[in-house]
Every structure is written in structure tokens, then in C-alpha cells.
Amino acid sequence: MPDTSPVLTVVPRRTPWTWVGVAGVLVLVAMFVNGLATNPGWEWSTFAAYFASETIVRALGTTIQLTVLGTVTGFALGVVLAAMRLSHNGFLRSVAWTYIWAFRSIPLIVQLLFWFNIAYLYQTISFGLPFGPSFGSVSTNDLFGALGAAVLGLALHQAAYAAEIIRGGILAVDEGQREAAAALGIPRLRQFTKVVLPQAMRSILPNAANEVISLFKGTSIVSVLAIPELFYQVQVIYGRNSRVVPLLLVATVWYIVLTTLLSVGQFYVERHFAKGSSRTLPPTPLQRLRSRLTAYTVRPAGAHSGHGRTRHPETAEVTR
């Protein structure tokens, strides 16, 4: 029996405004690139001379050192504070809440200046019994140098935010997961490390990565302590030669490069912890590129035909 149903024509989906937007963005990008290439104010020769200079690279190392020490110490203390906030002990919860409230309320630059000038309040720190004899003491100036004050300030500040990020991730795990683990007789520590933490990491990682990136850029604030990190060293150089724009561009490009590397690392760590939530891991950017190239080079039969009874929901419209 012949098929008398009407023939459907497959036509591409019309998206004229998308192309208008693409054209507008391309024009703006072309204008920006043209300005970079033709405006002499950028002074690319000065940028090239200082970008990988020994002074800048050494300052970059100090910035990375501050970021690593602040992140590791801050998140280690944040784990303790998060555990205290989740404790059934009211005293521990109160202490953790007070710490987080205080260090989130005080601006970071104030904290850094306070720790740098702690010797004004306490010339020595003694070790002994409270209100009793002292077994030893150390000069505060020897204990808190500029770098030590910066690491301490960054770590204590970071810990307050890290604690809330970790606590939020743990609370995001369904209570039934812990109940099921307890019903199976799994010890509490193993419950946390093998059941709760892997699931909580999916909520913790994006916010934690944002905090690490913010801390990396925020290390520029320690320039008030005259620590030769990246931004401070850039300021010193352009204070001598008055080449402000190219030196600021040097710092900007280095911040962009290292922030990009941190973002790439974040993607792969998140991909690792996505194993428990999806049957297949999210594709990497290289895998996405390969699939797109394959889709363009190997088209299914009839892809160029104007007639058919099926359509792709994202790329075509069906008209009678």
C-alpha cells in the first residue's frame, strides 16, 4: 500500500541574530587587536625586555610561594574549623563561628598590617604556664618578619572562607549516605574519607578553586609590606623608568598565564571526582575538538538532502 503521508522538508534552523552577534564580536576583537598592534603606547619592546627578566621571574616565584603557603595552611586550618562548626559540641561551634565571623569581617589589608606591626603590642612572646613562670621567650621581630606576617595574614584570612566552603560541601551530601554507611558497620573515619568526602568534593572544588585563584591575585596586596612579589616589583621598576603601561602589562600577562594553568588543573581535578556521578567522564577540550572535527569531516548519508522524515532538534526545523 503506497505511503500517502505528506512529505516533510528539512530546512536549517534560522538564526540570523546569532550571526549578527558573532559579526559584532569579531569586529570588536579586530579593533582591539589592531589597537594592540598599532598603538605605540603599549611599548611592546619594553614589555619583551622585562617579561622574562630575572627580577620579574624572582618576584613571580615569591608570589607563587605566598599562594602555596597561604592556600595549604589556610585550607588545613579551614578543615579543622569546618569540623568544629559541624561538631555536636556547642563550645567548639561557638569558637569556630567567632573565628569565621571575625576574619571575614576585617579587611585583609588591615590584618596584614596588624601582623606586620604586632611587635608594637608584644615585644616578646613567652612560653610557659598561664599567669605563671616562663620557660622561654622569643622576640616578636625575629618571629614575624615581613614574609612571615604576609603568610600568616593570608592563611588566617583564607581559613575563614575555606571553612565555610568545606562545611557547605559536606552538608550538600545527603544524610542517607552517612546512614547507609553506618548501617553497613563502616567506621566513622572511613565513612568520611570514602563516602562523604568524595561526594562533597564535587561541591567544594569549584568554590575552593575560586578562592585559590583569588588568593593568587590577592597576593598583590602584600605590596604594602614591601615584599618583592610580582606587583610590588613591577611598581618598583616603573617607578624608576616611568614605563607604567608596559610594566603593568607584564604583571597582567603573568597573572593571566598562571590563572589559566590553575583553571586547567581545576578542570581535571573536577573531572576526576565526577566518576561517582556519571557513567562516562566529561570530555576534555581535546576530545571535544576531535569530535567536532569528526562531525564536520564524516557526515551521515542524506545530510545534504532537502527531504526526509527526521530532523536534528538543535540544527533543523521541519516545515510542511
Side-chain angles (χ1 to χ4, degrees):
M1 184 175 180
D3 186 2
T4 58
S5 59
V7 176
L8 302 179
T9 302
V10 179
V11 296
R13 185 174 61 177
R14 299 176 181 87
T15 55
W17 289 110
T18 300
W19 292 108
V20 171
V22 170
V25 170
L26 290 177
V27 169
L28 292 176
V29 171
M31 293 171 61
F32 179 71
V33 173
N34 179 67
L36 291 177
T38 59
N39 191 333
W42 292 106
E43 299 185 50
W44 290 107
S45 59
T46 304
F47 170 85
Y50 285 100
F51 181 72
S53 64
E54 181 182 354
T55 303
I56 294 297
V57 172
R58 193 184 310 117
L60 184 64
T62 302
T63 297
I64 295 173
Q65 180 184 8
L66 288 170
T67 304
V68 172
L69 292 176
T71 299
V72 173
T73 309
F75 273 87
L77 181 56
V79 170
V80 176
L81 291 170
M84 293 171 66
R85 287 287 322 262
L86 295 171
S87 171
H88 296 293
N89 188 308
F91 174 75
L92 294 179
R93 290 200 308 270
S94 299
V95 171
W97 183 89
T98 303
Y99 177 95
I100 293 169
W101 165 76
F103 280 88
R104 290 199 303 183
S105 301
I106 304 172
L108 177 58
I109 189 171
V110 176
Q111 296 179 41
L112 292 173
L113 291 173
F114 175 83
W115 292 115
F116 185 65
N117 294 282
I118 191 66
Y120 176 79
L121 294 174
Y122 305 101
Q123 286 73 36
T124 60
I125 295 179
S126 301
F127 302 93
L129 298 177
F131 309 105
S134 173
F135 304 124
S137 62
V138 62
S139 172
T140 310
N141 285 325
D142 297 334
L143 189 62
F144 290 103
L147 186 62
V151 171
L152 183 62
L154 291 172
L156 294 178
H157 179 79
Q158 186 70 24
Y161 292 90
E164 290 299 276
I165 291 172
I166 296 168
R167 184 177 72 92
I170 293 174
L171 290 177
V173 180
D174 189 81
E175 184 66 26
Q177 299 290 319
R178 284 186 283 266
E179 293 175 353
L184 293 173
I186 301 175
R188 294 191 64 178
L189 180 60
R190 192 172 180 83
Q191 290 177 29
F192 179 77
T193 57
K194 298 298 183 180
V195 178
V196 176
L197 187 59
Q199 297 181 71
M201 288 298 290
R202 295 180 57 241
S203 300
I204 293 173
L205 277 173
N207 294 322
N210 283 339
E211 282 300 313
V212 174
I213 291 173
S214 296
L215 180 63
F216 168 67
K217 295 183 296 183
T219 54
S220 60
I221 203 171
V222 305
S223 60
V224 298
L225 307 183
I227 295 175
E229 48 80 45
L230 180 60
F231 185 67
Y232 177 82
Q233 205 62 49
V234 164
Q235 287 179 305
V236 170
I237 295 173
Y238 74 60
R240 294 173 180 171
N241 60 17
S242 301
R243 298 293 188 265
V244 178
V245 173
L247 266 301
L248 287 178
L249 190 60
V250 167
T252 300
V253 172
W254 273 120
Y255 282 125
I256 290 174
V257 168
L258 293 182
T259 300
T260 302
L261 293 177
L262 288 172
S263 300
V264 172
Q266 174 192 352
F267 170 81
Y268 282 99
V269 174
E270 289 184 4
R271 186 172 182 268
H272 170 75
F273 282 99
K275 292 177 180 179
S277 61
S278 58
R279 295 180 183 274
T280 58
L281 292 177
T284 63
L286 183 59
Q287 290 172 341
R288 289 197 189 99
L289 179 61
R290 287 175 178 172
S291 63
R292 288 181 180 274
L293 292 176
T294 303
Y296 281 115
T297 55
V298 182
R299 292 180 178 272
H304 300 283
S305 175
H307 300 281
R309 298 185 181 276
T310 60
R311 66 185 180 93
H312 194 284
E314 297 180 355
T315 59
E317 294 177 347
V318 178
T319 59
R320 294 185 180 276

